[in-house]
Every structure is written in structure tokens, then in C-alpha cells.
Amino acid sequence: MFKLLKRRPAESSRFSEFIREASSAEKKKVYTRVMKRASEAQNAVLNRCSKPEK
């Protein structure tokens, strides 16, 4: 019965490999780029919502 509960090891994703193998400088560069894009996307949403409709 307990054999049914065992999980097979998941395949490694590119993201998990990056997290394990990248240097802290590489991670910081990617994190900064991701946060910049997320901020730009949020600002675009706010700008669309704050403009008065005609």
C-alpha cells in the first residue's frame, strides 16, 4: 500500500537548474530585470486605470 504513495523524482526544470547553479551575481541580474519588468507592467495597468474615460 505504501508503494502507491511514493513519488517519482521530478525532472529538473531550467529554472531549478538556474537557481542551483547560477552565481549570486547572475541571480541578482535576473532578479533586477524581472522586478523592473513587473514594475513597468504594474505602472501600465495603473496608468490605464487612472486615465478618465471619454
Side-chain angles (χ1 to χ4, degrees):
M1 179 173 159
F2 289 107
K3 288 184 181 181
L4 297 174
L5 300 177
K6 276 190 172 180
R7 291 184 177 187
R8 284 181 269 150
E11 290 185 30
S12 197
S13 68
R14 289 178 64 201
F15 179 72
S16 65
E17 288 174 11
F18 173 78
I19 294 299
R20 278 195 315 272
E21 299 171 7
S23 69
S24 60
E26 289 174 311
K27 291 176 189 175
K28 183 177 181 178
K29 188 179 358 178
V30 169
Y31 179 77
T32 301
R33 197 171 8 162
V34 167
M35 292 307 293
K36 182 177 179 187
R37 287 184 184 175
S39 293
E40 289 170 352
Q42 288 176 348
N43 287 334
V45 169
L46 291 174
N47 288 335
R48 281 196 309 265
C49 292
S50 65
K51 289 183 180 178
E53 294 183 26
K54 291 184 177 183

